[in-house]
């Protein structure tokens, strides 16, 4: 099939881009490393927090487009465990923004049918931010249109460590035999145990690394890197990423001809 490459799509409107998407080939689970907020602000001689604030608009656009298109699972990397090493002022600003986002956006999330959850060692969050997070998780727990997971105080290696701890405990309690432990058991002990693996990972800002995100789950995910900074990654950028994803041939280690047999 002749699907145009993104550069050949420049002249198309967002509506025309949307029409080009094959609804049967959308990712079931989209994961995003939202990077480049600081550089966006620095390029405008603004404080870094201004970039984080602007990035929230991109989060809004992304959620709305996922809801419109019927993408059911969205996981976004908002704060890594390593991000605790940033200056206190930036961390405080980010936690304040998180609270602000949850307080102002909660009703919209509910209207859109978005279930909000977090993954990560969230106990490390300041008490008031954690209260907002828990409240939003509870209030949206019954919603099902879009499963939004925000990775907060998240590290992929810590997630695997936590899974190992859970499995060892089960083995010690005699609930499982060590020799019976397989990939499914590990998967069932991950923070994302009830979500499918991501089909597509987007990272903005030109960095081409994973930065400790979903290390287990990304085994066969398609990776999409764009130089666009996160605050500039709006609806159109996401449409282009989805169109590019639809051009990929996913092989899962097989040869192409055996995919259909
Ligand atoms: C991503 O933007 C948001 C977080 C990591 C919290 P950055 O803050 O990393 O922005 P850059 O990479 O410095 O431009
Ligand atoms: C990754 O971005 C974490 C988030 C987007 C939350 P970073 O900006 O922290 O990653 P590095 O330091 O460039 O790898
Ligand atoms: Mg960064």
């Amino acid at each position: 099939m002749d699907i145009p490459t993104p550069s050949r799509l420049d002249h198309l409107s967002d509506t025309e881009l949307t029409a080009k998407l094959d609804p049967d080939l959308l990712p079931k689970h989209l994961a995003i490393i939202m990077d480049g907020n600081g550089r966006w602000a620095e390029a405008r001689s603004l404080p870094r927090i201004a970039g984080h604030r602007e990035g929230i608009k991109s989060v809004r656009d992304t959620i709305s487009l996922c809801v419109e298109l019927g993408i059911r699972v969205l996981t976004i990397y908002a704060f890594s465990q390593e991000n605790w090493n940033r200056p206190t002022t930036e961390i405080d600003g980010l936690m304040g923004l998180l609270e602000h986002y949850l307080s102002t956006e909660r009703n919209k999330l509910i209207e859109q049918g978005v279930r909000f959850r977090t993954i990560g060692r969230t106990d490390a969050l300041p008490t008031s931010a954690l209260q907002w997070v828990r409240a939003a998780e509870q209030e949206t727990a019954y919603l099902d249109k879009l499963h939004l997971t925000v990775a907060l105080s998240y590290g992929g290696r810590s997630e695997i460590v936590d899974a190992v701890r859970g499995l060892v405990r089960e083995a010690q309690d005699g609930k499982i035999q060590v020799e019976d432990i397989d990939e499914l058991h590990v998967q069932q002990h991950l923070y994302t145990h009830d979500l499918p693996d991501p089909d597509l990972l987007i990272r903005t800002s030109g960095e081409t690394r994973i930065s400790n995100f979903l290390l287990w789950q990304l085994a066969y995910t398609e990776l999409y890197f764009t130089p666009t900074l996160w605050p500039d990654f709006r609806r159109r950028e996401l449409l282009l990423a989805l169109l590019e994803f639809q051009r990929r041939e996913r092989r899962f280690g097989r040869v192409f001809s055996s995919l259909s047999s």
Side-chain angles (χ1 to χ4, degrees), residues 74-247:
L74 172 65
T75 301
I76 54 178
Y77 203 6
F79 193 83
S80 71
Q81 274 193 321
E82 291 75 20
N83 289 150
W84 289 116
N85 297 319
R86 292 194 178 194
T88 319
T89 43
E90 180 164 353
I91 295 174
D92 290 349
L94 281 165
M95 295 302 148
L97 269 185
L98 173 66
E99 289 184 35
H100 179 74
Y101 173 78
L102 288 175
S103 59
T104 54
E105 218 79 0
R106 199 174 40 181
N107 289 341
K108 177 140 194 240
L109 291 176
I110 292 171
E111 264 169 43
Q112 289 181 304
V114 178
R115 178 172 185 187
F116 170 90
R117 280 189 292 181
T118 56
I119 50 171
R121 294 197 175 160
T122 45
D123 287 351
L125 295 178
T127 316
S128 73
L130 192 57
Q131 279 169 351
W132 280 106
V133 164
R134 295 288 173 256
E137 286 179 329
Q138 279 165 19
E139 285 170 22
T140 63
Y142 65 99
L143 297 165
D144 189 43
K145 196 160 167 70
L146 173 67
H147 289 247
L148 169 66
T149 304
V150 181
L152 277 174
S153 188
Y154 173 89
R157 287 185 173 175
S158 293
E159 177 177 31
I160 293 170
V161 167
D162 288 347
V164 170
R165 285 181 184 164
L167 281 167
V168 170
R169 249 179 256 119
E170 284 186 15
Q172 283 172 336
D173 294 348
K175 290 183 188 150
I176 190 169
Q177 298 300 308
V178 170
E179 48 282 359
D180 289 339
I181 295 174
D182 59 14
E183 291 185 11
L184 186 61
H185 286 111
V186 175
Q187 190 272 330
Q188 285 168 342
H189 284 79
L190 295 174
Y191 305 151
T192 57
H193 56 89
D194 58 350
L195 301 176
D197 287 343
D199 302 291
L200 172 62
L201 170 78
I202 296 172
R203 181 170 188 151
T204 57
S205 89
E207 308 302 345
T208 46
R209 53 179 172 264
I210 298 302
S211 300
N212 206 9
F213 191 42
L214 303 176
L215 295 181
W216 175 280
Q217 299 88 331
L218 294 177
Y220 263 104
T221 302
E222 293 296 326
L223 309 178
Y224 178 90
F225 298 106
T226 170
T228 303
L229 303 174
W230 177 249
D232 293 326
F233 192 91
R234 297 290 160 86
R235 213 183 151 83
R236 184 175 181 84
E237 293 286 331
L238 180 52
L239 287 169
L240 291 172
L242 293 171
L243 282 165
E244 161 64 21
F245 169 74
Q246 297 198 334
R247 298 176 67 237

Side-chain angles (χ1 to χ4, degrees), residues 34-39 48 52 78 83 86 90 94:
M34 311 182 290
D35 198 14
N37 295 349
R39 277 164 281 172
R48 291 177 59 85
H52 297 311
N83 289 150
R86 292 194 178 194
E90 180 164 353
L94 281 165

